[in-house]
Amino acid sequence: MLIGCLRQGLTLARDFRLDLGWLAQAAWTYVSDSVWEPLTAAAHNDRPEDHLETAADALGEVLSALARRQHEHRERTADRLTAVVDTGRLPGELHEMAVYYLAKAQRDLGRSADSQQGMQLIADGGELNAPAARRGLAALDAARTLGWAGRHHRIEGDVWWPHGDMDRAAAAYEAARAEAEEHGVAGERATSQAQRAFVLAFTDPARANDELDLAEQLLSELDLRATTLTTQIAALARDAGTTAEVEDRAHALRTEISVAGLASVEATLELALCFHHAVRDDHEGIAVGIGRLRELTGSGDYAYYTDIAHFMADRHFHAVSGSQAQSLDGEHATRTRWHSLVTARREHLRATP
């Protein structure tokens, strides 16, 4: 119903030459809270680009693609949004919305160069989605200037955890969750909480249980596939070093992630599994995991995950991953923190009856 109303609104606005800002904001509000109604699947039609004859058709296709993205392979989402963008029929901010979500789909597929190009176009344009696009391009220093619109706290968490500084990352994600709650954005609140559970799963299994319970509660009325998968990966990290069941669960998750086309999530899964192997001092398992990470991050995106896997197992290598990533306080400090997480888990398991 809402898709139909937005399409009608676009037609009326264009016919009477009205300001389209309100319509862009309405469309953005519709997709940004990440609450997808299952019935929107009925609005989906497989139609080629030449059937997108009007701006209203293009808008309907964008909204339908975004409503379906939690249920389809990201390749399908990218194809549909590319078709819309290529028509050039959407005006201003509505075109920008299509470009932004196309860049997100490309990122999930591991097409980092294409994704970055799209994000840069939005960030340079300074329009409706620019703060979110800058979020995808930010580093720690920039994150502190982004404010709520740029999800500054979540960016800080995203920077700290690859450095093995889980306490600072957890605090940043907690602040992000609180800010999302203050602004009434359910999707962002759930995502930040899932990330908090993920980082704490490496440090304190008992505490991670409570954080995962909260994340699952916040996700219960949402349809966020990638975030739900994050909680499942967090559960694996929480149980790292225990039994072979962890590997069976990881295999099932790998299949689910592959069906969804979420390459970045698959790399995170492999990293958590490397933690499991490192805790168990499984040399063969860690070698296989590092090999998988190299394949998954061959484009350069998330290539530093391979470095982290080496740090976990206290393995040395001749050259860094090629990710061009630099540790904020040096490689030695990052290596020490990650290996300390492994040794701490071993001690925890020895002390657990």
Side-chain angles (χ1 to χ4, degrees), residues 106-107 109-113 263 293-303 321-323:
Q106 290 167 332
R107 178 200 63 194
L109 290 166
R111 301 173 187 169
S112 56
L293 281 172
R294 282 180 175 147
E295 291 178 6
L296 289 168
T297 63
S299 66
D301 209 11
Y302 302 99
S321 62
S323 63

Side-chain angles (χ1 to χ4, degrees), residues 13-352:
R14 293 295 296 274
D15 287 348
F16 292 95
R17 299 183 180 181
L18 300 177
D19 179 13
L20 287 165
W22 65 271
L23 185 62
Q25 186 61 58
W28 175 248
T29 299
Y30 169 65
V31 298
S32 65
D33 199 35
S34 302
V35 182
W36 309 105
E37 293 292 340
L39 291 178
T40 55
H44 169 57
N45 293 303
D46 289 320
R47 54 185 183 181
E49 179 180 349
D50 57 7
H51 286 179
L52 301 175
E53 298 175 350
T54 68
D57 289 338
L59 177 61
E61 180 71 355
V62 168
L63 297 178
S64 176
L66 297 182
R68 289 293 304 160
R69 70 179 183 149
Q70 304 294 342
H71 307 282
E72 295 180 330
H73 195 285
R74 283 294 193 272
E75 186 79 47
R76 174 61 179 152
T77 303
D79 287 346
R80 296 180 71 185
L81 293 176
T82 296
V84 172
V85 169
D86 287 348
T87 68
R89 290 194 170 94
L90 283 177
E93 294 173 351
L94 294 173
H95 176 80
E96 176 191 308
M97 183 175 73
V99 171
Y100 172 68
Y101 277 97
L102 171 58
K104 290 189 68 174
Q106 290 167 332
R107 178 200 63 194
D108 289 339
L109 290 166
R111 301 173 187 169
S112 56
D114 291 337
S115 176
Q116 186 172 7
Q117 182 180 19
M119 288 293 187
Q120 192 65 60
L121 287 172
I122 303 302
D124 290 344
E127 298 295 339
L128 188 65
N129 303 337
R134 295 190 196 103
R135 179 168 75 245
L137 302 168
L140 181 61
D141 289 340
R144 294 180 179 129
T145 71
L146 291 175
W148 154 250
R151 307 301 193 259
H152 55 151
H153 290 306
R154 180 145 64 92
I155 288 296
E156 289 185 28
D158 291 347
V159 170
W160 285 124
W161 81 255
H163 288 80
D165 199 335
M166 300 312 197
D167 289 338
R168 293 177 80 168
Y173 289 132
E174 183 176 31
R177 184 197 68 207
E179 203 165 41
E181 187 167 0
E182 178 184 345
H183 287 81
V185 183
E188 175 64 21
R189 180 179 61 172
T191 297
S192 297
Q193 176 58 28
Q195 286 298 125
R196 176 173 165 81
F198 171 75
V199 298
L200 290 174
F202 287 91
T203 65
D204 188 339
R207 190 178 176 192
N209 280 333
D210 294 336
E211 300 297 338
L212 279 168
D213 285 346
L214 178 56
E216 290 166 2
Q217 289 176 30
L218 297 179
L219 281 165
S220 62
E221 296 183 0
L222 304 176
D223 190 2
L224 297 174
R225 180 180 287 188
T227 302
T228 299
L229 290 169
T230 295
T231 63
Q232 293 174 288
I233 295 171
L236 288 180
R238 176 200 60 195
D239 299 337
T242 54
T243 67
E245 181 191 356
V246 170
E247 296 170 44
D248 294 336
R249 287 157 55 195
H251 178 73
L253 261 179
R254 192 180 291 122
T255 301
E256 184 177 350
I257 291 168
S258 179
V259 169
L262 297 168
S264 60
V265 179
E266 188 170 1
T268 306
L269 169 63
E270 296 302 335
L271 188 65
L273 197 54
C274 282
F275 181 62
H276 169 71
H277 293 314
V279 171
R280 292 170 65 87
D281 201 22
D282 180 351
H283 298 282
E284 181 179 353
I286 195 72
V288 170
I290 287 174
R292 283 180 177 150
L293 281 172
R294 282 180 175 147
E295 291 178 6
L296 289 168
T297 63
S299 66
D301 209 11
Y302 302 99
Y304 55 89
Y305 280 14
T306 305
D307 297 353
I308 293 173
H310 281 90
F311 298 159
M312 289 175 178
D314 200 24
R315 289 191 172 195
H316 293 271
F317 45 101
H318 296 299
V320 295
S321 62
S323 63
Q324 306 301 316
Q326 298 293 322
S327 297
L328 295 177
D329 48 4
E331 179 187 314
H332 177 72
T334 301
R335 173 186 290 275
T336 299
R337 281 193 292 265
W338 275 108
H339 188 57
S340 294
L341 290 171
V342 171
T343 56
R345 179 59 59 88
R346 290 172 181 167
E347 292 172 3
H348 168 77
L349 292 173
R350 282 195 292 268
T352 302

